[in-house]
Amino acid sequence: MKKSKLLALLLALAMILSLAACGGGNNDTPANNNTPSQSSNTPSNNNADTPAAPDATPDEPSKNVEDSAFFGPIYDEWSDMTDEELYQMALQEVADGSEINIYATSSKMQKAEEKFEEAYPGLDLTIMDLDQDEVLEKCVLEANSGNIYGDVLQAKDVNGDVFFNYYEEGYMSAFYPRDISEKIDPMLLRYGYPLYASQSFWYYNTEAFPEGQPVSSWWQIIERNEDGSQKYRLFTKEIGTETAYLSLFASFVVNADQMEKAYEDLYGEPLEYTYDGSGFDFDVPENNAGLEYMWRFSQMKMTFIGDGDELVLAVHNSTADDPALALASGGKIGNRDESGYNIAWLTNLTPYTGLENCEYMYVVEGCKHPAAARLFIRWVTGGADGDSGGLKPFSKEGNWPVRDDVEGDWNPVSLADSGAVGGDLAAINDVFLDTQDLWIYWLSISPNTVG
């Protein structure tokens, strides 16, 4: 594996060993084999020309991730099947009365259940709303015990963890329907098949700043007044434990040249490097503008709040004399209309506003209903013409469609016009754990953090 698995995964594997000791395996999964079968990669009407499934456990990660057999898009015999072909195969799969199990990380997925069943009579869904860690743990536990109940899983990958530690390890497959994939930017298909994209934003108070957003650069967020006090009170979730936020900071480390240029363009002078990277058991790059930003940010006075609604409420309650900024998911803009909050996104920050974070849909390897799983993935991502109704629950401000034939006009700006950029998950993955270690230590020696 490219990086160490999460502690939760290690615990999960320990549980599997315990199950195996009690005879929990079956004939399809060797007792000590941690690799799921590849059966969901092959349609039941497969022929000799079907491409072989990629090796689920490469001996070592590709030096260039684009050389990986898992780097998308990947087209196979499933990719060109129509909805009707998949539907007829799915009906055969559920002839025993079994249900199609969807492991989802969004409660909105439950709104898709009834509409899908109306569109495809005879197919019954069970949608489980789980945290992402729970989704991935269930997938691993089931695969290693040989008792696979899930058919489809939804997961967000912001730092390459899902790609390298679960997808490349063979716990799920990325299904790429060719007709729909051709309507999606190929850059968004590299690490999986996306459902929709989102990003995190800094929020400001529109009443305090009636003429528009007060900052245009990440560097201005951490500016100080002449007396040394902060210009803005800062509210965020604890970045070291929030994978999406820490991945954004890791991207600054990867794109250090852009961070340095943004500073020089803003202030007209070279960036002074003040962070100390000594004393760590890994090499800390010198004169990296992303690390310099993270060091300065970690020493600011911040208030950590775990609830996104409370984060934007703190901005709403701030004033022009005591302004506040909060980093929260784009969807929290809904409080503007639902609760009357005076909030708006900071957009087009330099060097970029944030990362395009994709929710991906996967087929569980070795699942019982491979055709039904793919039919559901086609339907929930809009179907052949984008009008299946599957995308409707996710069509809200702060989420963007990835298909070029779906407008997404519920957002005031396109994802690109917001200043978001696509993340290089392989590069972020390479620096993520080191970035986390640096953040944790630097934060621990800051005298200013509260909350």
Side-chain angles (χ1 to χ4, degrees):
M1 294 173 63
K2 185 164 185 169
K3 294 286 186 184
S4 298
K5 281 189 173 73
L6 299 173
L7 176 60
L9 179 54
L10 294 174
L11 293 174
L13 292 177
M15 292 173 64
I16 291 301
L17 293 175
S18 176
L19 287 172
C22 296
N26 63 20
N27 293 332
D28 294 329
T29 306
N32 292 317
N33 184 5
N34 286 339
T35 304
S37 71
Q38 293 288 336
S39 61
S40 65
N41 275 335
T42 307
S44 57
N45 62 351
N46 191 21
N47 57 45
D49 295 329
T50 302
D55 181 9
T57 54
D59 293 334
E60 58 184 27
S62 304
K63 292 181 180 179
N64 183 348
V65 70
E66 294 183 19
D67 295 333
S68 168
F70 298 84
F71 195 76
I74 302 167
Y75 296 118
D76 56 19
E77 186 173 343
W78 290 107
S79 300
D80 295 308
M81 287 191 175
T82 66
D83 293 332
E84 185 59 27
E85 288 173 325
L86 290 171
Y87 180 35
Q88 294 305 317
M89 293 173 65
L91 288 174
Q92 296 177 22
E93 292 171 350
V94 301
D96 59 355
S98 57
E99 295 183 337
I100 304 147
N101 293 310
I102 315 296
Y103 296 162
T105 58
S106 170
S107 60
K108 293 179 177 59
M109 190 68 76
Q110 293 177 327
K111 297 180 180 179
E113 180 176 349
E114 183 176 347
K115 294 297 183 182
F116 177 80
E117 292 174 348
E118 289 177 0
Y120 296 102
L123 301 182
D124 294 324
L125 295 182
T126 296
I127 296 179
M128 301 181 191
D129 178 18
L130 306 166
D131 292 335
Q132 174 143 319
D133 286 347
E134 293 176 317
V135 166
L136 296 173
E137 285 176 19
K138 282 181 69 67
C139 183
V140 170
L141 282 167
E142 292 178 11
N144 286 283
S145 69
N147 299 310
I148 298 175
Y149 300 102
D151 295 294
V152 175
L153 67 84
Q154 171 196 359
K156 179 185 290 187
D157 198 1
V158 294
N159 68 341
D161 176 62
V162 176
F163 181 86
F164 291 110
N165 292 342
Y166 297 91
Y167 177 30
E168 274 204 346
E169 289 293 301
Y171 292 108
M172 72 271 276
S173 297
F175 165 54
Y176 292 93
R178 193 186 305 270
D179 58 336
I180 303 176
S181 296
E182 290 174 349
K183 305 176 189 295
I184 301 173
D185 183 346
M187 298 294 285
L188 296 179
L189 298 171
R190 295 175 296 173
Y191 297 99
Y193 179 68
L195 173 60
Y196 65 87
S198 62
Q199 73 159 311
S200 299
F201 285 94
W202 283 100
Y203 287 79
Y204 73 97
N205 186 303
T206 53
E207 190 174 71
F209 299 99
E211 296 183 1
Q213 63 184 60
V215 303
S216 59
S217 171
W218 275 81
W219 291 102
Q220 291 174 307
I221 293 169
I222 58 173
E223 280 185 343
R224 296 181 182 274
N225 297 310
E226 291 184 1
D227 63 1
S229 62
Q230 292 181 201
K231 280 192 174 181
Y232 306 101
R233 286 188 294 132
L234 301 179
F235 295 85
T236 180
K237 295 182 179 180
E238 209 286 85
I239 290 168
T241 59
E242 287 292 320
T243 303
Y245 296 171
L246 191 61
S247 296
L248 178 56
F249 277 68
S251 80
F252 292 154
V253 177
V254 171
N255 299 314
D257 56 338
Q258 296 183 41
M259 289 296 288
E260 185 176 56
K261 184 177 185 302
Y263 182 92
E264 294 178 355
D265 288 347
L266 180 64
Y267 298 112
E269 60 185 25
L271 174 63
E272 179 184 0
Y273 292 94
T274 61
Y275 67 90
D276 181 4
S278 63
F280 292 92
D281 59 0
F282 53 87
D283 292 332
V284 178
E286 296 182 0
N287 296 343
N288 181 292
L291 290 179
E292 179 63 28
Y293 185 87
M294 190 171 75
W295 158 250
R296 296 188 187 190
F297 191 96
S298 71
Q299 302 307 295
M300 303 294 285
K301 184 176 181 180
M302 291 172 284
T303 300
F304 296 140
I305 301 177
D307 183 84
D309 294 318
E310 293 182 14
L311 284 169
V312 294
L313 176 60
V315 172
H316 170 70
N317 289 334
S318 66
T319 64
D321 294 330
D322 187 21
L325 303 174
L327 182 61
S329 67
K332 295 306 174 183
I333 195 67
N335 284 283
R336 177 197 56 209
D337 301 321
E338 296 169 6
S339 305
Y341 289 2
N342 299 315
I343 56 174
W345 297 327
L346 292 176
T347 60
N348 288 305
L349 299 179
T350 58
Y352 46 86
T353 305
L355 297 179
E356 297 174 353
N357 296 326
C358 285
E359 293 282 347
Y360 295 102
M361 301 300 297
Y362 300 93
V363 178
V364 176
E365 274 298 338
C367 68
K368 185 176 182 179
H369 310 104
R374 288 167 170 84
L375 178 63
F376 177 77
I377 290 174
R378 284 184 59 88
W379 180 86
V380 79
T381 57
D385 56 7
D387 293 327
S388 70
L391 283 170
K392 187 174 181 180
F394 310 101
S395 300
K396 66 163 198 169
E397 198 169 1
N399 291 346
W400 282 264
V402 294
R403 300 175 54 140
D404 61 17
D405 60 342
V406 177
E407 289 295 329
D409 52 6
W410 51 85
N411 284 304
V413 295
S414 69
L415 193 61
D417 289 340
S418 74
V421 297
D424 184 342
L425 299 191
I428 291 173
N429 188 262
D430 280 337
V431 304
F432 182 83
L433 294 180
D434 291 350
T435 302
Q436 187 174 45
D437 286 347
L438 285 164
W439 169 265
I440 291 172
Y441 176 70
W442 286 343
L443 186 67
S444 73
I445 62 176
S446 170
N448 295 316
T449 305
V450 297

